[in-house]
Amino acid sequence: MSNISSADLEARKGSPSPRLDEDEFRRRFLNQFQDPAYEPLTPELTKISAAAWDAYKNSRKIPRTRKAGCEFADPDCDLAADWLDARQAIHEAKRRHDNQNGPHRLLLINGSSRGEHTCPGEVSKSFRMIQTARSVLEQNPMVTINVLDLSRVASEYGRQIHPCKACFSTSAALCHWPCSCHPNYSLGQVHDWMNEIYPLWVEAHGIMIVTPVNWYQTSSPLKLMIDRLVCADGGNPDPTTTHGKHAKEAKEIEMKGWHYPRHLEGRIFSVIVHGDTEGAEGVRRSVSDWLKSMALVPAGPLAEVDRYIGYWEPYATNHVAFEKDQAFQEEVRNAARTLLEAVVAKRQGHQIAAGSRLKQAREK
C-alpha cells in the first residue's frame, strides 16, 4: 500500500443531489400536520416551516455544540452537544459493566416489529419468549435485566432508528463511536433511539437476541440496530481527529494504521430465531456470526436456537402453536440459563475461551 498517493484518498463523488427546492421542502415539512386540529395554527406553522427551511438550506446539522476539551486530540474543535452527552452515557455504562462488585447485567432484545398497541393489535411470539427468558433469569437476585423492545419503533411516537450511512466503508476512522451521523436536525433526522441503545449494550455482561424470520432475514428494526452498531466494532472515539466528517482526513488516518478498537469485546451472547416455514437456521447463523465478528463470545450450544413454530400452519393460530410447543419454551429457558451460567463464569474468571488471547492476523 506504500504506493498510495494523496490523490488516491480523495472522496469519490458523482451521485445525483438529493437537495429539495423550497416549495417541495415546505410541502413535505407541513405534510406531518394533517390533523384538522392544526388548522387554527396555520400562521404559526408557516413561520416554523420558514425556520426549518433556513436550517435545511444552510445545512445546520448540529445547531448546538460545545468545545471538545482536553480529552480530545483537538480540544478547541466544536462537537455536537448530543454526541458529547451520548459519549458520557457510554462512559457511565462502561463503569457499571466494569464494576466487579456489581450485579450480572443482562440485556434481552425483542427483535420483532409486531405489537398490540398499533396494527396488528397482537403481541409477538418473540416478546413472549423474552418474558419466558426473563422469568428464569430474574430468579437470581444478583441479576439486573434490561429489556430492549424494538417493536416500539413501530408503535411509539418519536421512537426511530435511522439507517446507517456507511461511513465505515469510506474509512474506519470516519465512523465515530458513538455514531455522530444522527441526529441531523437540518434533515429532520431526529428522535434517533441509538444514543439510548448504545449504553444498554455497553453495560451488559450478557445479551440475548430473539427475532422472527422476515423474508429470510431478521426483522427491520433489528437490522437497523445491527447496522448502527458498526461503530462499536472499530469506530473512532475521537471525532476531532477527522474534524467532523472529512473523508480524506479519515482515510489518511486509517492508512497510517488503524488500531480498530472493539468497544463491545468479550460480552456473552445468546440468539434465538423462530420461523414458520423457512430461513430460521440461516438467520440464526448470520446473527451469531455478526456478534462473533464484533468479538462477542457465544454462551454455549444451548444458547443458540433456531426452530419453527406451527410449521406451515395458519398464521391465525401461531400463538396457539407456540403455547402447545412446551419443548421449545424449555429451549428458551435453557438458553437463558446457559447465558447466565456463562456470564457468571466469565466474571469469576472461570470461563475458558480457547484462542481469546491471540491477536487476529487481519482486521476488517
Side-chain angles (χ1 to χ4, degrees), residues 36-206:
Y38 290 111
E39 289 178 2
L41 303 175
T42 298
E44 288 82 359
L45 288 174
T46 299
K47 294 177 183 178
I48 292 172
S49 67
W53 164 251
D54 184 71
Y56 173 79
K57 180 178 66 175
N58 293 289
S59 300
R60 289 198 296 275
K61 172 188 174 183
I62 46 173
R64 299 184 186 275
T65 63
R66 300 199 297 266
K67 296 297 181 184
C70 60
E71 297 180 69
F72 294 87
D74 183 355
D76 200 47
C77 184
D78 292 322
L79 292 179
D82 294 295
W83 186 88
L84 288 167
D85 291 342
R87 174 181 181 268
Q88 180 62 31
I90 284 175
H91 284 191
E92 293 170 0
K94 188 175 187 303
R95 282 194 288 271
R96 292 192 291 273
H97 173 273
D98 293 346
N99 180 8
Q100 289 299 312
N101 298 318
H104 308 306
R105 299 183 180 277
L106 303 179
L107 175 61
L108 310 183
I109 301 174
N110 168 32
S112 177
S113 57
R114 179 156 64 132
E116 65 189 91
H117 301 293
T118 181
C119 52
E122 183 174 53
V123 71
S124 69
K125 298 187 294 298
S126 294
F127 183 85
R128 296 182 70 184
M129 292 172 207
I130 289 291
Q131 295 301 92
T132 298
R134 182 175 189 167
S135 68
V136 171
L137 296 169
E138 64 188 5
Q139 294 175 23
N140 188 319
M142 287 301 296
V143 167
T144 294
I145 300 169
N146 278 317
V147 173
L148 175 56
D149 183 3
L150 294 178
S151 73
R152 290 184 174 273
V153 169
S155 63
E156 184 177 324
Y157 178 82
R159 185 60 78 198
Q160 299 171 341
I161 300 176
H162 292 289
C164 175
K165 296 183 180 180
C167 297
F168 205 105
S169 297
T170 288
S171 169
L174 195 61
C175 184
H176 300 144
W177 167 251
C179 176
S180 66
C181 296
H182 304 284
N184 185 322
Y185 291 96
S186 67
L187 294 180
Q189 295 171 351
V190 296
H191 301 144
D192 187 62
W193 198 2
M194 288 306 299
N195 281 348
E196 297 175 45
I197 290 175
Y198 290 132
L200 295 176
W201 278 77
V202 171
E203 75 172 24
H205 300 110

Side-chain angles (χ1 to χ4, degrees), residues 206-253:
I207 295 153
M208 172 180 281
I209 296 177
V210 181
T211 183
V213 178
N214 289 0
W215 289 113
Y216 289 90
Q217 308 292 334
T218 67
S219 68
S220 302
L222 180 57
K223 186 58 168 65
L224 284 167
M225 184 190 70
I226 286 173
D227 287 352
R228 291 289 302 285
L229 279 164
V230 64
C231 58
D233 191 53
N236 183 356
D238 187 349
T240 72
T241 59
T242 61
H243 296 95
K245 290 290 184 175
H246 291 278
K248 187 175 181 181
E249 287 186 34
K251 291 183 179 186
E252 290 169 346
I253 292 170

